[in-house]
Amino acid sequence: MNTNSLQHTPSKKRSPSLVPPYLAAILSALIPGLGQALARAMRRGIILLSSFVTILGLMAWRIRLAARRDTEVFAIIKKAYHLQPVLVVLSVMVLILYLWIIYDAYIIAKDAERTPVLLFFMLIAVFFMLGWQIGEIDPIAFVTKADDAAPALARVLWPWEKAISYPEEHLLATVDIQVPCTEEDPPPPAPEKIEGEPYFWATPTCGDLKTQDGIPGTILTIRGENFAPDTKVNILWEDPIGNEFRQRQEGEYVTTIPDAKGEFEVEIEMPYRLLPPHADADFYIWDLKAKQLATVGQAEPSMELKLAVEKIVETIFIGMMATFFGILLALPLSFFAARNLMSASPITIAIYYLVRGVLNIVRSIEPLIWAIIAVIVVGLGPFAGILALTVHSIAALAKLYSESIESIDPGPIEAIQATGANWLQTVMYAVIPQIIPPFVSFTIYRWDINIRMSTIIGFVGGGGIGFLLAQWIRLLDYDSAGIAVWFIAVTVAILDYVSAEIRERFV
Amino acid sequence: MLEIRHLTKVYDDGTVALKDVSFTVEDGEFLIIIGLSGSGKSTLLRCINRLVDPTEGDVIWNGVNLTELEGEELRKARREMGMIFQHFNLVKRSSVFKNVIAGRLGFMPTWRSLLGRFNDADRKKALTALHRLGIADQAQKRADELSGGQQQRVGIARALMQDPKMILADEPVASLDPVLAHNILEYLEMLNQEDNLTIVCSLHYLDLVQRYSTRVLGLRDGEIVYEGSREDIRAMADEEFKDIYGEEAQRITGSVSGDLEEFEIGGLA
């Protein structure tokens, strides 16, 4: 060993700058980073130049995007700044950065030792602001839009009113009204009362429609009996050609609520209605109807609740079947993907790399993408979901299995062989006890994941409760969506707990 | 009687682990093989029960050449030699009892062992073995819950289940502290004296050699460089010591009392 070499410490001193400091500053003013590059800080120059160009490019894009319709440069900038004040902040920061780069070029050409920590913080700050603008981050929206969101969210949080429903019954009673009244024909008689049925009549039973010129129609007094109390009754007309329309008065639909005995009385003005041109008969019979949607009988689970129960069961089984198929196919594959088993010959090593490669590719594609593909192949429904999760499970489980095979301890195998055990006995007593706990643990973990995934997979048509949830959200039916969310949350929580518990017992 | 003739082992990567090794072990001997790590001790022991196939040479066990055996016959021969290991080689997640009774596998029809149906005689035998080694109360614990010394006793119990005529011990005390090392070797000594089992054991510590062996072999780079009785070890000259442990090795002390304070390690510079 040469003792002199001990005194040698690698010099960090950069070679002196190629250009004087002021020239470096001017060069960096023309092309940011050029000054640094010529001051022998090549890497710093390249980073600064590429960052600065990127920042300018992104700025130009965002400004153009903010003022889409304008064509003249100044107008575009003015409008963009007006609409998006963040862009003003950004522009100021970019200007500071530009000046800083010039200053940095001067400094570095003068004194080669400086580390530009603060300058790079500035660079990161500019990118942070750009990200803020590109991401359209808007914390204020949290506050301003909360009021609009609150009712919907409240329904999602406590949707249980929708979980029960009462059997419903349509009550309908009709009375004939003659239009118009004539001298020779008597107006239609009041309908007959039938015991137990709602009853509805009007006085008089003939009259004139309101005209286009504003001559008011005949006022009819209508009475109802035997309707369900405290439930809205709609008043409708059916004209002679069978069109049904609701009675309107002063722009509002006419409804009434019967009293405790199920009786009501309202006055209505006969509506305006164009008669068909060929209507040349003396009179026509119109039907006046009172319709009620009444609840009868005991409360029962609503259709939404039943659907949610059905679909959560379907969801759990999608996850379960995918796990089953996953295990069945991953088990044999895992042996081919275990290095310690496949290192015997070049052929087996090739198989190992092939299997590993395919598994890695399959695993890197999200189950949602697989679900979309599966829906194309087998159509909407739970089978598509099972296929998608199976594919992903095979890849994930085979990897985990093969890793636990790779990590088994060869000691017990040797020991069991030494007792005179044959191959099968050795596998049974030295290999399987070592791989079962991790296999069980990984499998349950996967089952857990699969059930969580199967709630999502319905969003792209893979069956299960996700399908319902997506549908209800799109229909703005937040109560029903809330039921689905609750079911998912409770199921996942229970399974999480159960799987953690089982894994703890086993390993 | 075990007879090793011109045994040579060359591994696939070209490593020569054993070079023309020959020796004989009489029934009832307690033979200790000493040598550095990598001197071929483990390979030698594994060649005897064919966990490792020798490249050349013969292993003759009571008149049968083990190197020619295959399949069922080889397994029957293995049954007669219990083996214990430096790292115990227990199935850590299985119970102590299951680890011990696995020593009986060579005597069972395959289907019975696959179903785990050991007969009562075997179960009793396992309990007896555990009793003998003083760990009967640990039978239902998982193997990895036991201390190192207890785990090695499980290993011995497993070997005993085979009703062996010989015990091969591959550095059985190398992962144990000195007190436990004595303890384990006392068990082996008990088996040697009470059951008249032949013991072939590889070791690091010279003072254990002096205390327990009836005969000693020194192995260096796959060749036998020393052979002698335990008295010879006591009187071992420095040259002989260096033959086994290499030129740079130093003996720490000549004391052979076996006290802990003066515990002697074949220390290397």
Side-chain angles (χ1 to χ4, degrees), chain B residues 30-32 34 173 178-190 192-193 201 203-216 228-235 254-260 263-264:
Chain B
F30 195 132
L31 175 73
I32 290 183
I34 53 174
V173 298
V179 181
L180 287 171
H182 270 291
N183 184 277
I184 291 298
L185 283 168
E186 272 161 14
Y187 278 112
L188 290 181
E189 192 177 39
M190 171 185 86
N192 178 241
Q193 284 164 9
C201 174
L203 278 186
H204 273 313
Y205 300 139
L206 274 185
D207 94 314
L208 294 173
V209 175
Q210 290 157 7
R211 165 80 174 71
Y212 296 101
S213 67
T214 57
R215 201 152 65 92
V216 184
S229 66
R230 78 165 98 174
E231 286 74 23
D232 293 336
I233 289 282
R234 231 168 265 184
S255 164
V256 290
S257 66
D259 288 350
L260 265 180
F263 201 77
E264 175 189 279

Side-chain angles (χ1 to χ4, degrees), chain A residues 384-396:
Chain A
I386 292 174
L387 274 184
L389 289 176
T390 301
V391 170
H392 200 255
S393 296
I394 292 170

Side-chain angles (χ1 to χ4, degrees), chain A residues 416-438:
Chain A
I416 297 294
Q417 274 178 347
T419 67
N422 61 30
W423 184 83
L424 256 180
Q425 288 170 325
T426 308
V427 169
M428 190 71 189
Y429 279 82
V431 179
I432 290 183
Q434 289 194 65
I435 59 178
I436 280 214

Side-chain angles (χ1 to χ4, degrees), chain A residues 4-148:
Chain A
N4 287 336
S5 70
L6 292 174
Q7 288 161 357
H8 172 82
T9 45
S11 171
K12 278 195 164 181
K13 226 174 171 70
R14 244 189 299 266
S15 327
S17 170
L18 293 176
V19 288
Y22 67 88
L23 187 56
I26 293 170
L27 287 170
S28 264
L30 293 173
I31 302 172
L34 182 61
Q36 281 88 342
L38 287 175
R40 302 236 189 195
M42 190 50 110
R43 203 183 307 157
R44 189 189 298 194
I46 290 172
I47 291 173
L48 287 175
L49 178 61
S50 55
S51 310
F52 200 76
V53 169
T54 309
I55 289 168
L56 285 186
L58 290 171
M59 283 279 291
W61 168 51
R62 295 312 288 186
I63 289 175
R64 188 78 195 84
L65 207 64
R68 222 173 291 220
R69 297 222 187 81
D70 295 270
T71 45
E72 197 252 324
V73 178
F74 185 70
I76 291 175
I77 294 175
K78 195 178 158 196
K79 185 158 187 193
Y81 281 178
H82 179 69
L83 290 175
Q84 305 247 351
V86 180
L87 288 171
V88 182
V89 180
L90 250 173
S91 303
V92 172
M93 287 174 76
V94 171
L95 184 66
I96 295 173
L97 182 68
Y98 173 71
L99 295 173
W100 201 330
I101 291 173
I102 296 171
Y103 172 69
D104 181 67
Y106 178 81
I107 287 291
I108 202 167
K110 209 171 133 190
D111 172 12
E113 288 298 313
R114 280 290 186 87
T115 316
V117 178
L118 285 176
L119 177 60
F120 279 97
F121 269 119
M122 186 66 202
L123 206 58
I124 290 166
V126 172
F127 274 107
F128 179 82
M129 283 310 286
L130 264 172
W132 189 280
Q133 207 276 333
I134 291 173
E136 293 170 19
I137 293 172
D138 185 8
I140 297 163
F142 266 134
V143 185
T144 56
K145 293 190 176 159
D147 284 347
D148 298 341

Side-chain angles (χ1 to χ4, degrees), chain A residues 199-218:
Chain A
Y199 183 68
F200 181 49
W201 78 96
T203 41
T205 52
C206 72
D208 293 306
L209 295 175
K210 186 179 176 179
T211 66
Q212 201 170 8
D213 316 328
I215 301 167
T218 311

Side-chain angles (χ1 to χ4, degrees), chain A residues 275-323:
Chain A
L275 288 176
H278 53 78
D280 50 5
D282 286 346
F283 62 88
Y284 291 94
I285 298 296
W286 290 46
D287 286 346
L288 182 58
K289 299 175 173 179
K291 257 190 184 172
Q292 192 184 31
L293 189 60
T295 57
V296 286
Q298 293 291 306
E300 57 182 32
S302 67
M303 190 193 58
E304 286 79 10
L305 185 69
K306 286 185 205 154
L307 258 178
V309 172
E310 276 173 30
K311 288 293 169 177
I312 198 79
V313 171
E314 188 178 292
T315 304
I316 293 170
F317 276 90
I318 289 174
M320 200 189 77
M321 292 312 284
T323 313

